């Protein structure tokens, strides 16, 4: 048995010292790596997580042990060293050790103005951040001189009834205590938990000899990085400021100069060419040896170069992809590691315009972030207004209480959608993600006054139709005006990374695509076919809706067939275009699903138009619409129930599919999916009719073709009876939107009203419409998969609900041996990367 290594609470950082990031923090470990790479790092001592925790509880280490490496007259800095730099920590404290005696000596060495400035700066920092005194008492300019220094020392004594500490050991002890207590405070704990840190995350501290950056000769500080943080492209960036300390050179500071030669002004390359060349060399060493793009903080002291720190370059999503791919292409890291380094959400951000992180945000209302990206436009309150706006070439934002299928044309015309009602799987959310349209739903604090053409924010502000707003579907915010945007960025590195991911992942990824535009998007994102085509969305076009309404009002089967015969060539063309776009890849077509009332108007003006179209009395149309209205239409006459009660619809769709198959230029095996099944007999009835249509088309066309018939499992009973159902179905695709709705007894359109309260109070860990409930709904999926295989061992299994693009659902499907997941087209890249990462993590765990 290997003996566990022990670590000292206080350790001098050397090339051979035992130093681990989970004991002393990431900064301490990085400094050791810099020492090992022979970089000129000032003397540094690391305090472990345990030592800092003890300090917070009043147990100080032996200060003579901490101070010993720094000599008799130390001048020090203390900085935090958390395990992950993104978790933050208390701010650095510089110039510890400044006192009256050290000030007097430094006056002789570097002159009175610089020595006084350093002493004053330390007194200010100590008083505010260590002694926690009122900052206004010490609000003095850096060049306040001897009078300012005396004022600060007097203020400290007045506020604390003690003279400013003169012993470096006392100063250092108080700094360590203050930083340790700050880390363990409630506010700091909540802040780092928001960044993903565990509640009990430890903090290390590094005590480092000051490299002054002020004094005779060339002195100053700077920061250099070797890539553009926005694009990831190689580029030396940074600033250098003479006679300064730490990170003063950053930002728009008077006197700061460029690093590389620049016609606009002086540069460090011109001023100190040898030092600049060394910094460039160190950047290359860091990249090769630390296997990362680093930002290096440096100080020049009387012409000598010191490296104070190196941290991972903060980067945009685009840059994170570019950097990971470049490191792999240069053989610095393997491709598998590059795939693991990129967060899937980074790809999602790259696919859409985003609100610039530095832009000011005038918040109108917040809701549920339903579809990522951001868009600016004029407010419109109806679908027809959105279409009119698009015809004028004006960007618009469609604002509705909630959208219905009748709004689809308006959603196509809009640049973004905002609804008061709805959840993550509501109509607006699903269609928005499919279109790549920024969408915020469930903004229940918003009010809409259709008569006055206004929306009213929670704080009472009114915005009229035509006013400009911005929908941030990534954050779930609606903003006033037009903040600055960053553009979508799909470059070669994006595609390269996904190609590598495809070589690794072990589960298929298809797209939910309802229109040719959706299919083209899916194809561009390398989806392996269409896993769900919701055909009802094809019926809302201007050339189809009226015909569909005539069919609904037809009295007999013969009359319905006569009307549907007019839709047949349109549907055939729809499916033919999908087949052509997908070039022989699988296309899974779900037969007609929604209740018929969704195709009928509900307002008086719409009813009058329909009566005129059908040449029927208004009262007769109104009565018929009322008769078709259901108390709970999502659980009523829809899906397969319509297909059995009104078989002419499914017969027309099947004929259109098969005729498009025969006419397709590329061989295709269409997959026909029956929705909302709950009994084997339903499948038998529909299958017999579809088989008859297939035989009829084959006979008339004299072309043999194959097709697959499957079931969309979205009722609990279908999951429980999957063994019977699978005997008549070659595939089972789990529709997790409806399955979640029926399992929980929750309306997916209304749950947003109270879901945040449920999640906040721990009733549910997460919104089950946003993240697959693997315990409850997942058990039904497991049962359905197991029983489905009993009925048909070679049955194909998948999920096609909105969960399909989420990491947790992909992990679950892989564990259950599913064949593929299907998700909105713009989620396909994210799903491809997530699937690859999950495969790699499983392989790594299996090797342990």
């Amino acid at each position: 048995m290997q003996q566990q290594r022990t670590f000292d609470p206080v350790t001098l950082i050397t090339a051979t010292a035992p130093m681990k990031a989970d004991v002393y923090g990431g900064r301490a470990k990085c400094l050791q790596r810099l020492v090992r790479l022979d970089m000129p790092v000032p003397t540094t001592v690391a305090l472990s997580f345990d030592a800092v925790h003890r300090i917070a509880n009043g147990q100080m280490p032996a200060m003579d042990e901490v101070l010993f490496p720094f000599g008799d007259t130390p001048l020090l800095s203390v900085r935090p060293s958390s395990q992950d730099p993104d978790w933050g920590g208390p701010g650095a404290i510089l110039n510890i050790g400044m006192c009256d005696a050290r000030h007097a000596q430094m006056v002789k060495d570097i002159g009175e103005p610089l020595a006084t400035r350093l002493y004053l700066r330390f007194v200010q920092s100590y008083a505010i951040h260590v002694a926690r005194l009122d900052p206004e008492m010490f609000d003095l300019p850096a060049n306040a001189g001897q009078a300012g220094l005396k004022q600060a020392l007097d203020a400290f004594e007045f506020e604390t009834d003690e003279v400013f500490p003169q012993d470096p050991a006392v100063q250092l002890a108080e700094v360590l205590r203050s930083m340790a207590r700050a880390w363990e405070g409630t506010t700091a704990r909540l802040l780092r938990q928001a960044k993903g840190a565990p509640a009990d995350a430890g903090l290390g501290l590094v005590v480092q000899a000051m490299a002054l950056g002020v004094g005779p000769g060339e002195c100053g500080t700077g920061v250099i990085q070797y890539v553009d943080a926005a694009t990831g492209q190689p580029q030396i960036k940074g600033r250098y400021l003479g006679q300064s300390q730490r990170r003063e050179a950053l930002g728009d500071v008077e006197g700061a100069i460029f690093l590389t030669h620049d016609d606009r002004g002086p540069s460090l390359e011109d001023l100190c060419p040898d030092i600049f060349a060394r910094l460039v060399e160190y950047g290359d060493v860091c990249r090769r040896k630390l296997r990362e793009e680093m930002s290096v903080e440096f100080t020049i002291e009387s012409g000598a170069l010191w490296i104070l720190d190196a941290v991972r370059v903060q980067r945009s999503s685009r840059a994170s992809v570019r950097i990971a791919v470049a490191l792999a292409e240069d053989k610095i890291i393997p491709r598998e590691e590059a795939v693991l380094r990129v967060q899937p959400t980074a790809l999602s951000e790259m696919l859409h315009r985003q609100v610039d992180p530095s832009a000011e945000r005038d918040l109108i209302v917040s809701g549920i972030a339903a579809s990522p990206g951001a868009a600016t436009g004029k407010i419109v309150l109806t679908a027809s207004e959105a279409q009119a706006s698009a015809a004028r070439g004006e960007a618009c934002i469609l604002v509705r209480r909630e959208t219905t299928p009748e709004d689809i044309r308006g959603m196509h015309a809009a640049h973004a959608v905002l609804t008061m009602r709805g959840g993550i799987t509501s109509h607006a959310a699903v269609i928005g993600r499919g279109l790549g349209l920024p969408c915020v739903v469930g903004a229940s604090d918003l009010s809409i006054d259709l008569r006055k053409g206004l929306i009213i924010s929670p704080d009472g502000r009114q915005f009229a139709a035509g006013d400009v707003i911005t929908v941030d579907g990534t954050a779930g915010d609606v903003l006033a005006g037009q903040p600055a945007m960053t553009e979508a960025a799909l470059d070669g590195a994006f595609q390269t990374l996904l190609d590598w991911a495809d070589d690794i992942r072990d589960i298929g990824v298809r797209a939910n695509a309802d229109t040719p535009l959706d299919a083209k998007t899916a194809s561009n994102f390398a989806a392996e076919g269409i896993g769900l085509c919701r055909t009802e969305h094809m019926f809302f076009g201007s050339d189809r809706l009226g015909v569909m309404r005539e069919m609904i009002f037809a009295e007999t089967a013969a009359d319905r067939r006569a009307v549907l015969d007019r839709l047949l060539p349109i549907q055939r063309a729809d499916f033919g275009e999908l087949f052509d776009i997908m070039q022989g890849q699988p296309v899974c077509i779900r037969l007609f699903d929604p209740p018929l009332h969704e195709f009928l108007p509900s307002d008086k003006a719409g009813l009058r138009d329909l009566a005129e179209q059908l040449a029927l009395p208004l009262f007769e149309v109104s009565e018929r619409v009322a008769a078709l209205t259901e108390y709970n239409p999502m659980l009523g006459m829809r899906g397969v129930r319509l297909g059995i009660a009104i078989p002419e619809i499914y017969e027309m769709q099947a004929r259109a599919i098969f005729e498009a198959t025969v006419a397709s230029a590329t061989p295709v095996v269409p997959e026909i999916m029956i929705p909302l099944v709950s009994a084997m007999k339903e499948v038998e009835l529909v299958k017999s009719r579809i088989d008859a249509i297939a035989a009829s088309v084959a006979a008339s066309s004299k072309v043999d073709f194959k097709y697959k018939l499957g079931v969309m499992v979205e009722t609990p009973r279908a999951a429980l009876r999957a063994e019977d159902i699978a005997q008549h179905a070659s595939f089972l695709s789990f529709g997790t939107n409806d399955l979640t709705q029926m399992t929980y007894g929750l309306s997916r359109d209304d749950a947003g009203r109270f879901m945040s309260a449920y999640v906040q109070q721990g009733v549910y860990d997460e919104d089950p419409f946003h993240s697959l409930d693997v315990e409850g709904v997942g058990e039904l999926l497991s049962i359905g998969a197991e029983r489905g295989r009993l009925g048909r061992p070679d049955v194909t299994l998948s999920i096609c609900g909105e969960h399909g693009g989420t990491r947790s659902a992909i992990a679950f499907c892989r564990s259950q041996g599913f064949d593929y997941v299907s998700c909105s087209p713009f989620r396909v890249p994210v799903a491809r990367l997530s699937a690859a990462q999950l495969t790699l993590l499983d392989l790594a765990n299996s090797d342990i």
Side-chain angles (χ1 to χ4, degrees):
M1 183 176 177
Q2 187 175 2
Q3 186 174 1
Q4 187 174 3
R5 191 170 191 179
T6 58
F7 294 87
D8 294 330
V10 178
T11 301
L12 176 67
I13 296 180
T14 64
T16 58
M19 190 67 48
K20 292 181 64 177
D22 59 358
V23 176
Y24 296 96
R27 173 170 271 134
K29 182 60 183 175
C30 184
L31 286 170
Q32 183 186 51
R33 292 189 178 118
L34 300 182
V35 171
R36 288 175 174 172
L37 295 174
D38 294 325
M39 295 189 190
V41 177
T43 301
T44 308
V45 166
L47 277 69
S48 70
F49 296 169
D50 183 62
V52 175
H53 179 68
R54 291 172 181 270
I55 290 171
N57 291 315
Q59 302 176 48
M60 298 300 299
M63 296 310 299
D64 55 350
E65 181 183 351
V66 178
L67 287 168
F68 177 77
F70 302 106
D72 295 333
T73 56
L75 199 62
L76 310 170
S77 68
V78 177
R79 286 173 291 163
S81 180
S82 56
Q83 187 167 345
D84 186 327
D86 292 338
W87 296 349
I93 303 292
L94 310 184
N95 301 317
I96 301 164
M98 283 298 298
C99 56
D100 293 346
R102 185 63 185 261
H103 174 251
Q105 181 60 46
M106 291 183 72
V107 167
K108 299 176 183 177
D109 295 337
I110 64 174
E112 186 275 329
L114 287 176
T116 299
R117 192 178 82 180
L118 292 180
Y119 196 4
L120 173 59
R121 179 175 295 171
F122 175 56
V123 172
Q124 291 171 313
S125 179
Y126 189 94
I128 296 168
H129 300 296
V130 179
R132 310 291 176 184
L133 301 181
D134 185 353
E136 292 188 6
M137 299 287 294
F138 301 89
D139 186 13
L140 300 166
N143 60 355
Q146 293 268 28
L149 174 60
K150 183 178 187 306
Q151 181 180 339
L153 290 170
D154 289 345
F156 184 92
E157 184 173 353
F158 177 80
E159 290 294 314
T160 64
D161 292 329
E162 296 177 357
V163 297
F164 189 81
Q166 298 294 304
D167 185 347
V170 173
Q171 294 176 359
L172 179 60
E174 291 303 312
V175 168
L176 296 178
R177 181 183 291 111
S178 173
M179 295 175 79
R181 288 179 174 175
W183 176 261
E184 301 211 349
T186 301
T187 300
R189 184 181 291 110
L190 292 174
L191 285 173
R192 62 177 177 267
Q193 282 183 267
K195 298 176 181 178
D200 60 349
L203 176 74
L205 294 172
V206 292
V207 182
Q208 190 174 75
M210 284 292 302
L212 278 180
V214 298
E218 184 56 46
C219 295
T221 59
V223 176
I224 182 172
Q225 65 185 49
Y226 308 88
V227 294
D228 186 298
T231 67
Q233 293 288 348
Q235 181 180 3
I236 292 177
K237 303 191 73 172
R239 288 288 188 272
Y240 170 77
L241 181 63
Q243 300 298 326
S244 68
Q245 290 188 312
R246 289 299 306 269
R247 303 177 71 87
E248 291 176 353
L250 291 181
D252 187 15
V253 179
E254 184 178 356
I257 63 175
F258 302 104
L259 298 182
T260 58
H261 176 75
D262 196 298
D263 293 338
R264 293 174 292 176
S267 71
L268 182 64
E269 185 176 13
D270 300 326
L271 187 66
C272 303
D274 292 343
I275 287 178
F276 175 79
R278 287 175 66 191
L279 287 170
V280 173
E281 177 189 349
Y282 289 156
D284 182 62
V285 170
C286 283
R287 186 173 189 269
R288 287 185 291 105
K289 298 298 185 180
L290 302 185
R291 307 182 331 131
E292 184 55 279
E293 292 289 358
M294 307 296 285
S295 174
V296 175
E297 185 177 340
F298 65 92
T299 291
I300 301 173
E301 185 176 28
S302 300
L305 175 64
W306 294 98
I307 302 299
L308 305 185
D309 199 10
V311 298
R312 178 180 177 273
V313 170
Q314 294 296 313
R315 61 202 66 179
S316 69
S317 296
R318 179 182 180 185
S320 69
V321 173
R322 175 71 182 80
I323 290 169
V325 169
L327 289 170
E329 289 180 332
D330 292 343
K331 311 297 183 186
I332 294 172
I333 63 175
R335 291 180 176 183
E336 292 79 4
E337 185 173 341
V339 168
L340 285 170
R341 282 193 180 193
V342 177
Q343 291 294 322
T345 52
L347 299 190
S348 182
E349 290 178 16
M350 292 176 69
L351 296 172
H352 307 276
R353 297 180 79 207
Q354 304 286 344
V355 175
D356 191 316
S358 63
E360 291 187 11
R361 301 173 71 91
D362 183 359
L363 183 67
I364 297 175
V365 70
S366 292
I368 298 170
S371 182
T376 298
K378 295 181 178 180
I379 296 171
V380 295
L381 299 176
T382 67
S384 58
E385 289 172 6
Q387 290 177 281
S389 182
R392 295 191 298 270
E394 296 177 352
C396 67
I397 307 296
L398 179 60
V399 183
R400 302 286 283 159
R401 286 192 175 90
E402 60 182 327
T403 61
T404 68
E406 281 189 274
D407 291 312
I408 287 179
R409 285 173 291 168
M411 294 178 72
H412 275 278
H415 284 219
V417 176
L418 165 64
T419 68
M420 288 174 56
R421 296 183 60 193
I424 200 69
T425 56
S426 64
H427 178 268
V430 172
I431 301 303
R433 286 193 292 272
L435 297 175
L437 199 66
C439 182
V440 172
V441 301
S444 56
D445 292 334
L446 191 73
S447 299
I448 300 177
D449 189 330
L450 289 174
R451 290 187 177 182
K452 295 182 179 179
L454 297 172
I455 66 171
I456 305 166
S457 68
D459 61 6
R461 286 187 292 170
Q462 296 184 351
F463 298 85
D467 287 349
V468 173
I469 62 172
T470 296
V471 169
D472 184 348
T474 303
D477 292 339
V478 182
L479 311 174
Q482 186 172 356
M485 298 278 191
T486 59
E487 296 300 321
L490 304 183
D491 53 20
F494 176 91
Q495 188 56 56
T496 297
L497 184 77
L498 286 176
D499 287 344
W500 293 347
D502 290 342
D503 292 338
I504 295 166
R505 62 184 169 87
D506 57 7
I507 188 171
V509 178
R510 295 195 196 179
N512 300 341
D514 307 331
T515 66
L517 179 61
D518 293 343
K520 288 176 183 176
T521 303
S523 180
N524 290 339
F525 290 147
E528 297 169 309
I530 294 176
L532 173 63
C533 173
R534 292 163 286 217
T535 55
E536 58 271 13
H537 293 161
M538 298 174 173
F539 291 104
F540 287 95
S542 57
D543 57 338
R544 309 163 190 222
L545 184 58
V547 181
M548 192 67 188
R549 287 172 170 174
E550 284 186 51
M551 189 277 298
I552 293 172
F553 273 77
E555 297 290 345
T556 66
D559 290 342
R560 284 192 290 271
R561 286 194 178 93
V563 177
L564 289 168
D565 282 345
R566 292 156 56 193
L567 283 175
L568 175 63
I570 300 174
Q571 279 271 273
R572 183 171 59 232
D574 290 333
F575 298 136
E577 193 169 358
L578 290 181
F579 295 156
D580 290 343
I581 292 169
M582 298 313 296
Q583 290 290 300
Q585 289 187 305
V587 177
C588 183
I589 299 167
R590 184 179 75 182
L591 297 175
F592 189 87
D593 180 45
L596 294 178
H597 82 279
E598 290 194 1
F599 294 88
L600 299 175
S602 56
D603 60 305
K604 292 181 179 179
L607 290 170
R608 284 196 299 269
D609 288 344
L610 180 56
E612 182 179 348
Q613 175 192 339
L614 298 174
L616 293 173
L618 178 59
F619 79 87
E620 189 175 326
V621 170
S622 299
E623 286 179 357
R624 185 65 181 274
V625 170
L628 285 168
T629 301
E630 300 178 73
Y631 286 111
N632 196 339
M634 296 312 292
L635 297 178
M637 189 171 169
R638 53 168 284 217
V640 70
R641 299 158 192 168
L642 267 174
I644 291 173
I646 309 176
E648 298 82 21
I649 300 176
Y650 280 11
E651 290 172 2
M652 180 276 290
Q653 289 192 299
R655 184 171 295 276
I657 292 169
F658 296 140
E659 290 180 355
T661 300
V662 169
S664 177
T666 56
V668 60
V669 179
E671 299 176 1
I672 300 176
M673 184 157 64
I674 309 171
L676 212 72
V677 165
S678 58
M680 179 182 68
K681 187 64 176 179
E682 292 172 322
V683 184
E684 289 180 312
L685 288 172
V686 174
K687 183 177 187 302
S688 65
R689 291 167 181 164
I690 290 177
D691 285 344
I693 298 292
S696 173
V697 172
S700 61
S701 66
K702 296 182 173 55
V703 175
D704 288 329
F705 56 86
K706 296 180 179 179
Y707 76 96
K708 296 180 179 179
L709 184 72
V711 164
M712 192 170 185
V713 180
E714 45 195 333
T715 68
R717 192 178 193 278
L720 296 172
R721 303 303 301 169
E723 181 177 355
D724 297 335
I725 291 171
Q727 296 175 35
H728 303 279
S730 61
F731 63 88
L732 301 177
S733 189
F734 291 84
T736 54
N737 299 352
D738 269 324
L739 188 58
T740 298
Q741 179 172 241
M742 295 186 191
T743 302
Y744 275 83
L746 282 174
S747 165
R748 66 190 192 191
D749 293 317
D750 298 320
R753 295 180 177 183
F754 59 85
M755 189 56 67
S756 60
Y758 260 53
V759 173
Q760 289 171 5
Q761 297 180 55
V763 180
Y764 303 147
D765 291 336
E766 290 189 63
D767 182 341
F769 293 110
H770 187 268
S771 180
L772 179 66
D773 165 28
V774 296
E775 294 177 349
V777 178
E779 185 170 359
L780 281 172
L781 264 66
S782 298
I783 292 170
E786 180 183 356
R787 295 181 181 178
R789 291 189 183 105
L790 289 175
R792 182 187 288 257
D794 63 345
V795 67
T796 298
L797 300 171
S798 67
I799 66 171
C800 59
E802 283 302 305
H803 296 107
T806 62
R807 189 180 185 90
S808 59
I810 294 170
F812 180 82
C813 289
R814 289 183 65 252
S815 71
Q816 299 298 312
F818 279 38
D819 297 279
Y820 68 87
V821 298
S822 188
C823 55
S824 299
F826 282 88
R827 283 190 171 186
V828 166
V830 177
R832 291 162 63 193
L833 181 60
S834 294
Q837 292 179 342
L838 290 164
T839 302
L840 289 172
L841 292 173
D842 277 358
L843 290 171
N845 291 333
S846 66
D847 290 339
I848 295 177

